[in-house]
Amino acid sequence: MDRLATLIASGLGIGYMPFAPGTAMSAVAIPLAWWIGMQGGAFAVLAAAVAAFFLGVVACEAHVRATGREDPSECVVDELAGQWLACAIGLFSFGMLPPVENIWLPLLIAFLLFRLFDITKPWPVGWADRSIAGGLGVMADDMIAGLFAGIGVALARLAVPL
C-alpha cells in the first residue's frame, strides 16, 4: 500500500525529478487538461481535479505517515489537482470549451498564475500550507492556489477579447 501511495503522491515518479518537480507536474498537467477538456469540456477537467484531490489526500496521507515528513517535496499530485482546478475554471470562463485554436490561452494563463500562487503562497495559500497537516494539508494549499489562479484566468478573460 505504501508503494502505491508513493506512486500516486509522486505523480508516477515526477516528484523525484531533481529540479522543480512541482513545476514539472504542473507542466505535465496542462496537456492532460487539454486532452480531458477536448473529450468532455470544462466539467470533465473539474471532475478530474476533484478526483485527483480526493485520491491525493489519501495517497499523500499514507506517504506522509510512511516517511514521517509533512508535505514532502516529492508529493506533486497536489500540483496536478490544483493545476486542473485552475484550468477548469479557466475553461469555464472562456465558455466551457473555447474553440480548439484558442484553448491554449486559458491553459497557459492558468499555468502561469497557478505557479505564481503556488510558489509565492499569498494568504490563504500560505496559511493552509502552514496550518493544515497530513494529506489534506499537502493538497489544500494547492487547491486554494488553483482556485485563485482560476479566478485570475476569469479576470483575464474580461480583458482579452477573442
mmCIF file of all heavy atoms in Angstrom, residues 86-123:
data_model
loop_
_atom_site.group_PDB
_atom_site.id
_atom_site.type_symbol
_atom_site.label_atom_id
_atom_site.label_comp_id
_atom_site.label_asym_id
_atom_site.label_seq_id
_atom_site.Cartn_x
_atom_site.Cartn_y
_atom_site.Cartn_z
ATOM 1 N N ALA A 86 -7.458 25.111 -11.703
ATOM 2 C CA ALA A 86 -7.248 26.384 -12.385
ATOM 3 C C ALA A 86 -7.648 26.290 -13.858
ATOM 4 O O ALA A 86 -8.293 27.194 -14.392
ATOM 5 C CB ALA A 86 -5.781 26.809 -12.259
ATOM 6 N N CYS A 87 -7.293 25.196 -14.497
ATOM 7 C CA CYS A 87 -7.641 25.001 -15.913
ATOM 8 C C CYS A 87 -9.150 24.899 -16.101
ATOM 9 O O CYS A 87 -9.706 25.476 -17.043
ATOM 10 C CB CYS A 87 -6.958 23.753 -16.459
ATOM 11 S SG CYS A 87 -5.171 23.918 -16.639
ATOM 12 N N ALA A 88 -9.818 24.167 -15.215
ATOM 13 C CA ALA A 88 -11.272 24.007 -15.324
ATOM 14 C C ALA A 88 -11.967 25.355 -15.213
ATOM 15 O O ALA A 88 -12.835 25.690 -16.033
ATOM 16 C CB ALA A 88 -11.784 23.044 -14.257
ATOM 17 N N ILE A 89 -11.594 26.145 -14.214
ATOM 18 C CA ILE A 89 -12.207 27.464 -14.047
ATOM 19 C C ILE A 89 -11.889 28.328 -15.259
ATOM 20 O O ILE A 89 -12.752 29.057 -15.758
ATOM 21 C CB ILE A 89 -11.738 28.129 -12.738
ATOM 22 C CG1 ILE A 89 -12.216 27.314 -11.545
ATOM 23 C CG2 ILE A 89 -12.247 29.567 -12.645
ATOM 24 C CD1 ILE A 89 -11.586 27.713 -10.212
ATOM 25 N N GLY A 90 -10.656 28.228 -15.755
ATOM 26 C CA GLY A 90 -10.286 28.978 -16.949
ATOM 27 C C GLY A 90 -11.128 28.598 -18.153
ATOM 28 O O GLY A 90 -11.591 29.461 -18.905
ATOM 29 N N LEU A 91 -11.347 27.315 -18.343
ATOM 30 C CA LEU A 91 -12.171 26.870 -19.465
ATOM 31 C C LEU A 91 -13.613 27.307 -19.303
ATOM 32 O O LEU A 91 -14.262 27.711 -20.273
ATOM 33 C CB LEU A 91 -12.071 25.353 -19.632
ATOM 34 C CG LEU A 91 -10.705 24.839 -20.082
ATOM 35 C CD1 LEU A 91 -10.678 23.320 -20.076
ATOM 36 C CD2 LEU A 91 -10.327 25.381 -21.447
ATOM 37 N N PHE A 92 -14.147 27.254 -18.069
ATOM 38 C CA PHE A 92 -15.494 27.759 -17.826
ATOM 39 C C PHE A 92 -15.576 29.234 -18.198
ATOM 40 O O PHE A 92 -16.524 29.664 -18.835
ATOM 41 C CB PHE A 92 -15.899 27.592 -16.357
ATOM 42 C CG PHE A 92 -16.408 26.237 -15.991
ATOM 43 C CD1 PHE A 92 -15.748 25.485 -15.037
ATOM 44 C CD2 PHE A 92 -17.551 25.715 -16.575
ATOM 45 C CE1 PHE A 92 -16.222 24.226 -14.680
ATOM 46 C CE2 PHE A 92 -18.022 24.460 -16.226
ATOM 47 C CZ PHE A 92 -17.359 23.710 -15.274
ATOM 48 N N SER A 93 -14.580 30.007 -17.797
ATOM 49 C CA SER A 93 -14.626 31.445 -18.045
ATOM 50 C C SER A 93 -14.498 31.786 -19.526
ATOM 51 O O SER A 93 -14.936 32.840 -19.960
ATOM 52 C CB SER A 93 -13.534 32.168 -17.241
ATOM 53 O OG SER A 93 -12.252 31.886 -17.761
ATOM 54 N N PHE A 94 -13.919 30.874 -20.298
ATOM 55 C CA PHE A 94 -13.809 31.092 -21.735
ATOM 56 C C PHE A 94 -14.973 30.434 -22.478
ATOM 57 O O PHE A 94 -14.913 30.256 -23.680
ATOM 58 C CB PHE A 94 -12.471 30.554 -22.260
ATOM 59 C CG PHE A 94 -11.346 31.538 -22.164
ATOM 60 C CD1 PHE A 94 -10.840 31.918 -20.929
ATOM 61 C CD2 PHE A 94 -10.786 32.087 -23.307
ATOM 62 C CE1 PHE A 94 -9.794 32.819 -20.830
ATOM 63 C CE2 PHE A 94 -9.743 32.995 -23.221
ATOM 64 C CZ PHE A 94 -9.244 33.367 -21.982
ATOM 65 N N GLY A 95 -16.015 30.023 -21.759
ATOM 66 C CA GLY A 95 -17.202 29.495 -22.401
ATOM 67 C C GLY A 95 -17.233 27.983 -22.485
ATOM 68 O O GLY A 95 -17.485 27.440 -23.559
ATOM 69 N N MET A 96 -16.971 27.311 -21.385
ATOM 70 C CA MET A 96 -16.971 25.858 -21.280
ATOM 71 C C MET A 96 -15.780 25.241 -21.995
ATOM 72 O O MET A 96 -14.944 24.649 -21.400
ATOM 73 C CB MET A 96 -18.280 25.241 -21.793
ATOM 74 C CG MET A 96 -19.482 25.665 -20.995
ATOM 75 S SD MET A 96 -19.388 25.084 -19.306
ATOM 76 C CE MET A 96 -19.764 23.369 -19.519
ATOM 77 N N LEU A 97 -15.721 25.363 -23.293
ATOM 78 C CA LEU A 97 -14.569 24.887 -24.031
ATOM 79 C C LEU A 97 -14.381 25.842 -25.190
ATOM 80 O O LEU A 97 -15.251 25.960 -26.057
ATOM 81 C CB LEU A 97 -14.767 23.459 -24.538
ATOM 82 C CG LEU A 97 -13.544 22.841 -25.185
ATOM 83 C CD1 LEU A 97 -12.403 22.709 -24.174
ATOM 84 C CD2 LEU A 97 -13.861 21.477 -25.750
ATOM 85 N N PRO A 98 -13.282 26.569 -25.197
ATOM 86 C CA PRO A 98 -13.063 27.522 -26.272
ATOM 87 C C PRO A 98 -12.933 26.800 -27.610
ATOM 88 O O PRO A 98 -12.723 25.595 -27.651
ATOM 89 C CB PRO A 98 -11.738 28.192 -25.912
ATOM 90 C CG PRO A 98 -11.398 27.740 -24.562
ATOM 91 C CD PRO A 98 -12.205 26.533 -24.245
ATOM 92 N N PRO A 99 -13.009 27.530 -28.709
ATOM 93 C CA PRO A 99 -12.660 26.894 -29.970
ATOM 94 C C PRO A 99 -11.263 26.290 -29.856
ATOM 95 O O PRO A 99 -10.411 26.819 -29.145
ATOM 96 C CB PRO A 99 -12.672 28.045 -30.972
ATOM 97 C CG PRO A 99 -13.522 29.099 -30.341
ATOM 98 C CD PRO A 99 -13.374 28.919 -28.853
ATOM 99 N N VAL A 100 -11.031 25.197 -30.540
ATOM 100 C CA VAL A 100 -9.779 24.460 -30.402
ATOM 101 C C VAL A 100 -8.567 25.370 -30.600
ATOM 102 O O VAL A 100 -7.580 25.268 -29.884
ATOM 103 C CB VAL A 100 -9.742 23.267 -31.385
ATOM 104 C CG1 VAL A 100 -8.373 22.609 -31.378
ATOM 105 C CG2 VAL A 100 -10.816 22.275 -31.035
ATOM 106 N N GLU A 101 -8.652 26.307 -31.525
ATOM 107 C CA GLU A 101 -7.483 27.159 -31.772
ATOM 108 C C GLU A 101 -7.201 28.116 -30.620
ATOM 109 O O GLU A 101 -6.116 28.660 -30.518
ATOM 110 C CB GLU A 101 -7.641 27.943 -33.087
ATOM 111 C CG GLU A 101 -8.800 28.918 -33.104
ATOM 112 C CD GLU A 101 -10.120 28.299 -33.561
ATOM 113 O OE1 GLU A 101 -10.201 27.067 -33.721
ATOM 114 O OE2 GLU A 101 -11.076 29.060 -33.743
ATOM 115 N N ASN A 102 -8.161 28.312 -29.725
ATOM 116 C CA ASN A 102 -7.962 29.241 -28.608
ATOM 117 C C ASN A 102 -7.857 28.552 -27.255
ATOM 118 O O ASN A 102 -7.707 29.231 -26.249
ATOM 119 C CB ASN A 102 -9.103 30.256 -28.559
ATOM 120 C CG ASN A 102 -9.106 31.164 -29.754
ATOM 121 O OD1 ASN A 102 -8.057 31.466 -30.313
ATOM 122 N ND2 ASN A 102 -10.276 31.584 -30.174
ATOM 123 N N ILE A 103 -7.952 27.242 -27.193
ATOM 124 C CA ILE A 103 -7.948 26.557 -25.906
ATOM 125 C C ILE A 103 -6.615 26.730 -25.170
ATOM 126 O O ILE A 103 -6.555 26.705 -23.954
ATOM 127 C CB ILE A 103 -8.294 25.060 -26.058
ATOM 128 C CG1 ILE A 103 -8.604 24.458 -24.675
ATOM 129 C CG2 ILE A 103 -7.203 24.300 -26.771
ATOM 130 C CD1 ILE A 103 -9.132 23.036 -24.750
ATOM 131 N N TRP A 104 -5.543 26.969 -25.907
ATOM 132 C CA TRP A 104 -4.231 27.118 -25.271
ATOM 133 C C TRP A 104 -4.172 28.353 -24.375
ATOM 134 O O TRP A 104 -3.445 28.367 -23.396
ATOM 135 C CB TRP A 104 -3.123 27.185 -26.325
ATOM 136 C CG TRP A 104 -3.248 28.389 -27.204
ATOM 137 C CD1 TRP A 104 -3.918 28.463 -28.389
ATOM 138 C CD2 TRP A 104 -2.734 29.703 -26.958
ATOM 139 N NE1 TRP A 104 -3.856 29.739 -28.889
ATOM 140 C CE2 TRP A 104 -3.125 30.525 -28.031
ATOM 141 C CE3 TRP A 104 -1.990 30.266 -25.925
ATOM 142 C CZ2 TRP A 104 -2.798 31.869 -28.113
ATOM 143 C CZ3 TRP A 104 -1.654 31.621 -26.004
ATOM 144 C CH2 TRP A 104 -2.059 32.392 -27.092
ATOM 145 N N LEU A 105 -4.929 29.402 -24.702
ATOM 146 C CA LEU A 105 -4.822 30.655 -23.957
ATOM 147 C C LEU A 105 -5.239 30.513 -22.490
ATOM 148 O O LEU A 105 -4.453 30.862 -21.600
ATOM 149 C CB LEU A 105 -5.604 31.765 -24.650
ATOM 150 C CG LEU A 105 -5.438 33.150 -24.059
ATOM 151 C CD1 LEU A 105 -3.980 33.590 -24.040
ATOM 152 C CD2 LEU A 105 -6.284 34.155 -24.826
ATOM 153 N N PRO A 106 -6.430 29.993 -22.165
ATOM 154 C CA PRO A 106 -6.759 29.859 -20.737
ATOM 155 C C PRO A 106 -5.849 28.867 -20.023
ATOM 156 O O PRO A 106 -5.541 29.053 -18.843
ATOM 157 C CB PRO A 106 -8.213 29.390 -20.728
ATOM 158 C CG PRO A 106 -8.472 28.876 -22.090
ATOM 159 C CD PRO A 106 -7.560 29.613 -23.019
ATOM 160 N N LEU A 107 -5.380 27.845 -20.728
ATOM 161 C CA LEU A 107 -4.491 26.875 -20.087
ATOM 162 C C LEU A 107 -3.127 27.484 -19.785
ATOM 163 O O LEU A 107 -2.550 27.236 -18.723
ATOM 164 C CB LEU A 107 -4.349 25.622 -20.958
ATOM 165 C CG LEU A 107 -5.642 24.842 -21.216
ATOM 166 C CD1 LEU A 107 -5.362 23.624 -22.083
ATOM 167 C CD2 LEU A 107 -6.349 24.460 -19.940
ATOM 168 N N LEU A 108 -2.620 28.299 -20.691
ATOM 169 C CA LEU A 108 -1.342 28.975 -20.462
ATOM 170 C C LEU A 108 -1.447 29.969 -19.307
ATOM 171 O O LEU A 108 -0.592 29.988 -18.414
ATOM 172 C CB LEU A 108 -0.876 29.695 -21.731
ATOM 173 C CG LEU A 108 0.389 30.532 -21.583
ATOM 174 C CD1 LEU A 108 1.590 29.663 -21.235
ATOM 175 C CD2 LEU A 108 0.653 31.330 -22.846
ATOM 176 N N ILE A 109 -2.503 30.756 -19.302
ATOM 177 C CA ILE A 109 -2.697 31.715 -18.206
ATOM 178 C C ILE A 109 -2.862 30.974 -16.884
ATOM 179 O O ILE A 109 -2.286 31.364 -15.860
ATOM 180 C CB ILE A 109 -3.916 32.625 -18.484
ATOM 181 C CG1 ILE A 109 -3.674 33.482 -19.734
ATOM 182 C CG2 ILE A 109 -4.193 33.527 -17.282
ATOM 183 C CD1 ILE A 109 -4.932 34.190 -20.236
ATOM 184 N N ALA A 110 -3.613 29.877 -16.903
ATOM 185 C CA ALA A 110 -3.809 29.077 -15.682
ATOM 186 C C ALA A 110 -2.480 28.532 -15.176
ATOM 187 O O ALA A 110 -2.225 28.547 -13.968
ATOM 188 C CB ALA A 110 -4.786 27.929 -15.955
ATOM 189 N N PHE A 111 -1.634 28.059 -16.079
ATOM 190 C CA PHE A 111 -0.323 27.538 -15.679
ATOM 191 C C PHE A 111 0.508 28.627 -15.013
ATOM 192 O O PHE A 111 1.053 28.431 -13.917
ATOM 193 C CB PHE A 111 0.426 26.977 -16.895
ATOM 194 C CG PHE A 111 1.837 26.555 -16.583
ATOM 195 C CD1 PHE A 111 2.091 25.358 -15.945
ATOM 196 C CD2 PHE A 111 2.914 27.371 -16.915
ATOM 197 C CE1 PHE A 111 3.389 24.962 -15.650
ATOM 198 C CE2 PHE A 111 4.212 26.982 -16.623
ATOM 199 C CZ PHE A 111 4.450 25.780 -15.992
ATOM 200 N N LEU A 112 0.612 29.782 -15.653
ATOM 201 C CA LEU A 112 1.445 30.861 -15.118
ATOM 202 C C LEU A 112 0.930 31.362 -13.769
ATOM 203 O O LEU A 112 1.714 31.537 -12.827
ATOM 204 C CB LEU A 112 1.520 32.010 -16.128
ATOM 205 C CG LEU A 112 2.225 31.683 -17.442
ATOM 206 C CD1 LEU A 112 2.079 32.834 -18.431
ATOM 207 C CD2 LEU A 112 3.683 31.326 -17.219
ATOM 208 N N LEU A 113 -0.377 31.566 -13.669
ATOM 209 C CA LEU A 113 -0.927 32.059 -12.404
ATOM 210 C C LEU A 113 -0.850 31.007 -11.304
ATOM 211 O O LEU A 113 -0.562 31.338 -10.146
ATOM 212 C CB LEU A 113 -2.373 32.523 -12.600
ATOM 213 C CG LEU A 113 -2.552 33.803 -13.407
ATOM 214 C CD1 LEU A 113 -4.029 34.105 -13.612
ATOM 215 C CD2 LEU A 113 -1.848 34.975 -12.734
ATOM 216 N N PHE A 114 -1.100 29.743 -11.657
ATOM 217 C CA PHE A 114 -1.009 28.704 -10.637
ATOM 218 C C PHE A 114 0.402 28.619 -10.082
ATOM 219 O O PHE A 114 0.597 28.535 -8.865
ATOM 220 C CB PHE A 114 -1.452 27.340 -11.184
ATOM 221 C CG PHE A 114 -1.272 26.246 -10.177
ATOM 222 C CD1 PHE A 114 -2.115 26.155 -9.083
ATOM 223 C CD2 PHE A 114 -0.246 25.329 -10.287
ATOM 224 C CE1 PHE A 114 -1.945 25.155 -8.127
ATOM 225 C CE2 PHE A 114 -0.067 24.329 -9.344
ATOM 226 C CZ PHE A 114 -0.920 24.246 -8.257
ATOM 227 N N ARG A 115 1.403 28.630 -10.940
ATOM 228 C CA ARG A 115 2.776 28.561 -10.456
ATOM 229 C C ARG A 115 3.087 29.782 -9.579
ATOM 230 O O ARG A 115 3.745 29.665 -8.555
ATOM 231 C CB ARG A 115 3.790 28.467 -11.618
ATOM 232 C CG ARG A 115 3.713 27.183 -12.401
ATOM 233 C CD ARG A 115 3.682 25.918 -11.541
ATOM 234 N NE ARG A 115 4.826 25.807 -10.654
ATOM 235 C CZ ARG A 115 4.785 25.233 -9.450
ATOM 236 N NH1 ARG A 115 3.668 24.701 -8.981
ATOM 237 N NH2 ARG A 115 5.866 25.179 -8.707
ATOM 238 N N LEU A 116 2.624 30.964 -9.983
ATOM 239 C CA LEU A 116 2.840 32.178 -9.187
ATOM 240 C C LEU A 116 2.253 32.018 -7.782
ATOM 241 O O LEU A 116 2.952 32.256 -6.786
ATOM 242 C CB LEU A 116 2.210 33.387 -9.890
ATOM 243 C CG LEU A 116 2.252 34.695 -9.100
ATOM 244 C CD1 LEU A 116 3.688 35.213 -9.014
ATOM 245 C CD2 LEU A 116 1.337 35.727 -9.727
ATOM 246 N N PHE A 117 0.995 31.599 -7.694
ATOM 247 C CA PHE A 117 0.348 31.468 -6.389
ATOM 248 C C PHE A 117 0.919 30.302 -5.584
ATOM 249 O O PHE A 117 1.010 30.383 -4.359
ATOM 250 C CB PHE A 117 -1.167 31.319 -6.530
ATOM 251 C CG PHE A 117 -1.843 32.563 -7.028
ATOM 252 C CD1 PHE A 117 -2.701 32.515 -8.112
ATOM 253 C CD2 PHE A 117 -1.631 33.785 -6.417
ATOM 254 C CE1 PHE A 117 -3.327 33.660 -8.577
ATOM 255 C CE2 PHE A 117 -2.253 34.944 -6.867
ATOM 256 C CZ PHE A 117 -3.114 34.877 -7.959
ATOM 257 N N ASP A 118 1.297 29.229 -6.254
ATOM 258 C CA ASP A 118 1.841 28.071 -5.535
ATOM 259 C C ASP A 118 3.229 28.372 -4.971
ATOM 260 O O ASP A 118 3.571 27.926 -3.885
ATOM 261 C CB ASP A 118 1.889 26.857 -6.467
ATOM 262 C CG ASP A 118 2.273 25.576 -5.748
ATOM 263 O OD1 ASP A 118 1.896 25.414 -4.569
ATOM 264 O OD2 ASP A 118 2.939 24.737 -6.354
ATOM 265 N N ILE A 119 4.013 29.144 -5.685
ATOM 266 C CA ILE A 119 5.381 29.453 -5.242
ATOM 267 C C ILE A 119 5.384 30.578 -4.198
ATOM 268 O O ILE A 119 6.055 30.475 -3.173
ATOM 269 C CB ILE A 119 6.271 29.800 -6.449
ATOM 270 C CG1 ILE A 119 6.493 28.539 -7.302
ATOM 271 C CG2 ILE A 119 7.606 30.392 -5.995
ATOM 272 C CD1 ILE A 119 7.105 28.805 -8.670
ATOM 273 N N THR A 120 4.618 31.645 -4.448
ATOM 274 C CA THR A 120 4.661 32.800 -3.543
ATOM 275 C C THR A 120 3.783 32.603 -2.302
ATOM 276 O O THR A 120 4.005 33.255 -1.289
ATOM 277 C CB THR A 120 4.234 34.091 -4.255
ATOM 278 O OG1 THR A 120 2.886 33.964 -4.709
ATOM 279 C CG2 THR A 120 5.178 34.391 -5.421
ATOM 280 N N LYS A 121 2.779 31.751 -2.392
ATOM 281 C CA LYS A 121 1.894 31.392 -1.286
ATOM 282 C C LYS A 121 1.288 32.600 -0.559
ATOM 283 O O LYS A 121 1.470 32.789 0.648
ATOM 284 C CB LYS A 121 2.600 30.484 -0.288
ATOM 285 C CG LYS A 121 3.048 29.173 -0.930
ATOM 286 C CD LYS A 121 3.307 28.111 0.070
ATOM 287 C CE LYS A 121 3.829 26.841 -0.546
ATOM 288 N NZ LYS A 121 3.053 26.289 -1.634
ATOM 289 N N PRO A 122 0.516 33.427 -1.292
ATOM 290 C CA PRO A 122 -0.181 34.521 -0.606
ATOM 291 C C PRO A 122 -1.259 33.949 0.315
ATOM 292 O O PRO A 122 -1.662 32.790 0.178
ATOM 293 C CB PRO A 122 -0.806 35.310 -1.761
ATOM 294 C CG PRO A 122 -1.030 34.292 -2.828
ATOM 295 C CD PRO A 122 0.138 33.345 -2.702
ATOM 296 N N TRP A 123 -1.737 34.777 1.255
ATOM 297 C CA TRP A 123 -2.816 34.326 2.119
ATOM 298 C C TRP A 123 -4.044 34.063 1.270
ATOM 299 O O TRP A 123 -4.314 34.828 0.358
ATOM 300 C CB TRP A 123 -3.116 35.385 3.188
ATOM 301 C CG TRP A 123 -4.086 34.870 4.200
ATOM 302 C CD1 TRP A 123 -3.768 34.215 5.342
ATOM 303 C CD2 TRP A 123 -5.504 34.925 4.143
ATOM 304 N NE1 TRP A 123 -4.917 33.849 6.009
ATOM 305 C CE2 TRP A 123 -6.001 34.281 5.282
ATOM 306 C CE3 TRP A 123 -6.419 35.444 3.233
ATOM 307 C CZ2 TRP A 123 -7.359 34.150 5.550
ATOM 308 C CZ3 TRP A 123 -7.767 35.306 3.491
ATOM 309 C CH2 TRP A 123 -8.222 34.671 4.647
#
